[in-house]
Amino acid sequence: MKDLKQCREQLDIIDKEIIKLFEKRMSVIKDVALYKKQNNLPIVDEEREKIILQNNLEKFNNPELKQYYQTILKAYIDVNKQYQINLIKK
């Protein structure tokens, strides 16, 4: 068993990686928003959201954690939509 200090150090490293990936993801979301704006497409695409959830949850290996990941994924989708709305308003 690792001590608390080691666990927290590992979490700090993981969080840095998550931040980098989140920023990278949001950069792509910005491109999506600009494309939607230029092509007069709606921000919300419920069918695409269902596909994202289904595809990502199928890839998930740990059944014990799957429900928690689903919550995070839904939050990502909501944040992505809000970011797109803010970008398009500019």
Side-chain angles (χ1 to χ4, degrees):
M1 182 158 103
K2 297 176 187 175
D3 70 13
L4 185 58
K5 182 179 179 193
Q6 288 175 320
C7 291
R8 288 180 173 165
E9 287 171 355
Q10 284 184 313
L11 288 171
D12 289 343
I13 291 167
I14 293 167
D15 285 343
K16 286 179 185 177
E17 291 177 34
I18 290 171
I19 289 167
K20 287 179 188 176
L21 290 172
F22 179 77
E23 289 175 339
K24 187 175 182 179
R25 190 176 206 289
M26 294 306 278
S27 176
V28 175
I29 293 300
K30 184 176 184 177
D31 293 337
V32 169
L34 296 174
Y35 181 89
K36 287 179 178 180
K37 182 177 182 179
Q38 290 174 351
N39 292 279
N40 295 316
L41 296 173
I43 296 296
V44 177
D45 183 345
E46 291 180 11
E47 192 60 35
R48 173 70 179 147
E49 290 177 25
K50 288 178 190 174
I51 291 169
I52 291 168
L53 286 168
Q54 180 181 350
N55 288 344
N56 282 286
L57 292 174
E58 285 175 1
K59 296 173 191 170
F60 209 78
N61 295 320
N62 187 330
E64 181 183 4
L65 300 177
K66 193 173 186 176
Q67 68 179 356
Y68 302 108
Y69 183 71
Q70 182 174 358
T71 301
I72 290 170
L73 195 53
K74 286 180 180 180
Y76 270 138
I77 291 170
D78 290 342
V79 167
N80 293 341
K81 288 188 285 190
Q82 188 60 51
Y83 185 50
Q84 289 180 60
I85 289 167
N86 290 338
L87 288 169
I88 288 176
K89 284 182 182 178
K90 288 183 180 180

